[in-house]
């Protein structure tokens, strides 16, 4: 640590000025903040001296200024580390990967093909497939909605899926 009496123009009897305190102790406060784990030790040291400057008239003992700045550096470092830890815990999830324009165009084309194939199904098969896979109804709910037996729902759904697979060029 630098002794303020080593600074040119500072007498050993008079209390050091703010500029003299800053010149003598700023590098050591930067090192202290860095050793305490601050990611911005220069900013912390600057803030500590700014707080000292704002309160310099309230210090009872002129010799306590260095201890005061040191405690501010410790408190600011602790506070910033706590803030960073909480900020990292609350970090939002990254947005999902965006699909390329080509991918979106292919998906849109595939949807058009699927809807056209569904539209070409016989009425009962189309009803069974739509109620099952678009509305997620159970086979019992589909049978009630269509007014048919449970076996008919299974038959119409199975035949509709097979016809869609053929229309879209997929083997089932």
């Amino acid at each position: 640590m630098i002794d303020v009496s080593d600074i040119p123009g500072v007498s050993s009897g008079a209390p050091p000025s703010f500029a003299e305190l800053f010149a003598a102790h700023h590098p050591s406060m930067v090192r202290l903040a860095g050793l305490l784990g601050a990611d911005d030790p220069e900013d912390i040291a600057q803030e500590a001296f700014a707080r000292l400057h704002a309160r310099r008239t309230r210090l009872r003992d002129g010799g306590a200024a260095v201890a005061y700045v040191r405690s501010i550096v410790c408190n600011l470092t602790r506070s910033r580390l706590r803030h960073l830890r909480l900020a990292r815990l609350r970090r939002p999830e990254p947005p999902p990967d965006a699909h390329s324009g080509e991918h979106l165009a292919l998906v849109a084309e595939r949807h058009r093909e699927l809807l056209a194939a569904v539209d070409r199904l016989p009425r009962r098969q189309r009803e069974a497939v739509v109620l099952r896979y678009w509305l997620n109804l159970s086979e019992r709910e589909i049978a009630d909605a269509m007014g048919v037996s449970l076996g008919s729902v299974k038959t119409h759904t199975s035949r509709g899926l097979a016809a869609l697979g053929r229309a879209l060029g997929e083997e089932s």
Side-chain angles (χ1 to χ4, degrees):
M1 188 170 295
I2 300 172
D3 185 12
V4 288
S5 62
D6 295 338
I7 300 173
V10 177
S11 64
S12 58
S17 69
F18 180 79
E20 294 166 345
L21 275 172
F22 183 85
H25 296 285
H26 182 262
S28 65
M29 294 304 157
V30 170
R31 279 192 304 273
L32 174 62
L35 289 171
L36 291 175
D39 60 341
D40 55 350
E42 294 87 6
D43 290 346
I44 288 181
Q46 291 284 10
E47 177 68 21
F49 277 101
R51 289 186 184 188
L52 170 67
H53 188 267
R55 293 177 181 88
R56 70 187 181 285
T57 58
R58 292 187 224 155
L59 287 177
R60 293 185 198 131
D61 180 12
V66 175
Y68 182 70
V69 170
R70 192 178 304 118
S71 69
I72 293 172
V73 166
C74 291
N75 290 337
L76 284 174
T77 301
R78 189 179 312 116
S79 177
R80 291 205 181 162
L81 289 174
R82 186 180 318 117
H83 169 76
L84 287 174
R85 186 172 45 247
L86 289 175
R88 288 181 186 122
L89 289 174
R90 295 182 186 149
R91 184 178 301 154
E93 291 293 322
D97 292 335
H99 295 289
S100 68
E102 294 86 8
H103 174 78
L104 295 175
L106 289 172
V107 168
E109 180 60 29
R110 194 73 174 147
H111 283 146
R112 279 191 292 278
E113 290 174 11
L114 176 62
L115 291 175
V118 167
D119 196 42
R120 289 190 300 266
L121 289 175
R123 184 181 60 83
R124 290 287 193 179
Q125 290 177 11
R126 183 176 51 244
E127 287 176 5
V129 169
V130 168
L131 292 172
R132 179 69 181 112
Y133 295 103
W134 268 268
L135 296 181
N136 292 322
L137 297 181
S138 69
E139 290 174 342
R140 171 56 45 209
E141 292 169 321
I142 295 169
D144 292 341
M146 291 176 62
V148 297
S149 69
L150 199 56
S152 293
V153 169
K154 291 178 183 181
T155 300
H156 292 307
T157 303
S158 174
R159 288 180 183 168
L161 287 177
L164 286 175
R166 286 190 302 275
L168 297 174
E170 299 173 359
E171 294 295 321
S172 34

